[in-house]
Amino acid sequence: MNQQEDDLPSLDFYLWTDEQLAKLPFLELLVLSFEGEASLHPGGVCSTERLFQELSLGPNDYVLEIGCGSAKDLCRLVEKYNCRAIGVDSSDLILKFAEHRVRKTGLSSKITIIKGDISNMNFFNDRQFDIVIAQS
């Protein structure tokens, strides 16, 4: 764990001080308020399920989700289709939720969570992924 991760409050936000909560950007506060369980993108869970049905994924497919949030949808996708995936998000706090979810669901061998910004994603190779998802 690096110093930046050590500076982040725990995932148990009930232990956070008012000062820590006040420093959060709105999106992170929303994710935290639902403990990473809410679907915050337009269309919610129903639109995500329709998207998954259209993808026709299998075990040989490699998926990139840009803006993976707490990785709830990404974990469901990998569990359902047994594919491999990378989730990218720009928030250290939200990535902490995502990494925790991936470990908790036992999908660490299939899902990698990394920090990244959509405006600079040149660290991936062309045609590295079979599917790229950006829901919000």
Side-chain angles (χ1 to χ4, degrees):
M1 195 175 275
N2 63 36
Q3 180 61 38
Q4 189 175 11
E5 289 173 340
D6 291 337
D7 292 340
L8 291 172
S10 77
L11 293 180
D12 185 357
F13 71 94
Y14 296 105
L15 302 175
W16 290 29
T17 66
D18 289 341
E19 291 79 23
Q20 288 171 313
L21 289 170
K23 291 178 185 176
L24 289 178
F26 180 70
L27 181 60
E28 290 180 351
L29 187 59
L30 265 179
V31 169
L32 189 60
S33 67
F34 290 103
E35 296 183 19
E37 292 299 323
S39 185
L40 301 176
H41 57 276
V45 175
C46 291
S47 67
T48 300
E49 288 301 323
R50 280 195 309 271
L51 172 67
F52 288 178
Q53 290 169 2
E54 296 292 323
L55 295 178
S56 301
L57 292 169
N60 295 324
D61 291 315
Y62 200 21
V63 176
L64 169 65
E65 183 175 20
I66 301 168
C68 69
S70 67
K72 181 178 182 180
D73 294 334
L74 197 57
C75 286
R76 283 199 344 261
L77 180 80
V78 170
E79 286 173 329
K80 187 170 186 171
Y81 297 101
N82 195 30
C83 56
R84 296 174 302 124
I86 291 182
V88 178
D89 208 286
S90 61
S91 165
D92 290 319
L93 176 62
I94 293 174
L95 287 171
K96 197 172 176 182
F97 272 94
E99 290 164 349
H100 176 74
R101 182 183 308 280
V102 169
R103 280 191 307 274
K104 188 172 93 176
T105 56
L107 295 171
S108 296
S109 66
K110 297 250 181 204
I111 299 175
T112 302
I113 301 296
I114 62 173
K115 183 173 182 169
D117 185 324
I118 191 168
S119 65
N120 183 18
M121 297 194 57
N122 59 358
F123 43 88
F124 295 122
N125 299 321
D126 287 346
R127 301 176 193 227
Q128 181 175 347
F129 300 98
D130 299 295
I131 302 286
V132 177
I133 300 170
Q135 295 189 81
S136 299

